Amino acid sequence: EVHLVESGGGLVQPGESLTLSCAASGFVFNKFVMSWTRQAPGKGLEWLGKVTIGGTPEYPPSTQGRFVMWRDNVKNMLYLQLISVRPEDTAMYYCEKHQSASIYSPRIERGQGTQVTVSS
C-alpha cells in the first residue's frame, strides 16, 4: 500500500523560507515521478512542479522560481522548499505520486497534506 506522509508545515512569517518533506513507502520510490501540489482555502488544486526519477525538477511558469524541489532516492524522500513565503502561499501542501517513471504520466496518489500558514 502506498503511503505518502508530508511534514514540515506550520505558521511562518512573510519573507521566511520553509522546507516541506514527504516520506514515501509502499512502492519502489526511485521508479516513479513525484510532484507537489497545494490547495489554498476556497481554491482548486494547484500543481507546483515535479521531480523526475533522476532528480531533475520541472516547474510551471507560474511558480516564478519561488519553489525548489528535490528527492532523495536512498531515503525515499521528496522535498519542497518555499522561498520568501507570502500570505497567498497559505495552503495545504500535498506530495503526489505519478503513475510511472514517465514525466507525462498522471498523478495517481496523494498524501494527507501538511498545512502552511503565512501570517505576521
Side-chain angles (χ1 to χ4, degrees), residues 51-106:
V51 186
T52 69
I53 59 173
T56 301
E58 178 182 321
Y59 309 102
S62 59
T63 65
Q64 298 181 346
R66 297 192 54 246
F67 303 111
V68 179
M69 298 179 190
W70 69 99
R71 64 193 293 164
D72 186 328
N73 286 341
V74 174
K75 296 180 178 179
N76 291 352
M77 296 289 293
L78 181 71
Y79 301 96
L80 171 68
Q81 183 183 35
L82 288 68
I83 299 169
S84 189
V85 297
R86 307 165 182 168
E88 53 264 39
D89 293 320
T90 294
M92 185 71 79
Y93 286 75
Y94 299 99
C95 164
E96 298 198 10
K97 171 185 171 291
H98 288 240
Q99 190 174 53
S100 74
S102 170
I103 60 171
Y104 305 109
S105 62

Side-chain angles (χ1 to χ4, degrees), residues 1 6 12-13 17 29 61 65 72 84 91 95 98 102 112 114:
E1 184 180 359
E6 301 91 339
V12 292
Q13 294 192 350
S17 294
F29 182 72
D72 186 328
S84 189
C95 164
H98 288 240
S102 170
Q112 294 298 308
T114 186

Side-chain angles (χ1 to χ4, degrees), residues 6-24:
E6 301 91 339
S7 62
L11 177 63
V12 292
Q13 294 192 350
E16 293 183 342
S17 294
L18 184 69
T19 298
L20 308 180
S21 302
C22 171

